[in-house]
Amino acid sequence: MIKILLIGILVLMVARAFWRVVDGILDGARGGNKGGNERGGSAVKLVRDPVCGTYVAPTASLSLSAGDTTHYFCSEQCRSKYRAA
Ligand SMILES: [Zn+2]
């Protein structure tokens, strides 16, 4: 009788371990997608080039300070055009 009980507990433990592994795989697949979405929220804010209208990242573009505002340009050509205007 005790033997049957022990076998029953063993089967239960194995089943539990099995489902934990399956849950882990499913959570991993779901978690990977979730993490990608959260990372997308920290996207770089783009600013508009006032000369040609192209959207550029402030960190990777040429800038020109005019008073208390800073304009960003896609290229040196646009910046010199804006200066001349
Ligand atoms: Zn431009």
Side-chain angles (χ1 to χ4, degrees), residues 49 51-54 73-75 78:
D49 181 329
V51 177
C52 67
T54 305
F73 304 91
C74 68
S75 64
C78 281

Side-chain angles (χ1 to χ4, degrees), residues 24-73:
I25 291 163
L26 290 174
D27 274 0
R30 259 184 261 136
N33 287 341
K34 238 187 237 165
N37 287 342
E38 274 160 21
R39 230 170 263 163
S42 61
V44 183
K45 200 189 156 206
L46 295 176
V47 288
R48 198 165 161 272
D49 181 329
V51 177
C52 67
T54 305
Y55 283 88
V56 292
T59 49
S61 62
L62 295 154
S63 64
L64 180 71
S65 292
D68 55 348
T69 54
T70 305
H71 298 288
Y72 297 95
F73 304 91

Side-chain angles (χ1 to χ4, degrees), residues 51 76-85:
V51 177
E76 182 58 50
Q77 279 178 310
C78 281
R79 188 164 70 171
S80 54
K81 237 186 228 177
Y82 185 86
R83 262 203 202 124

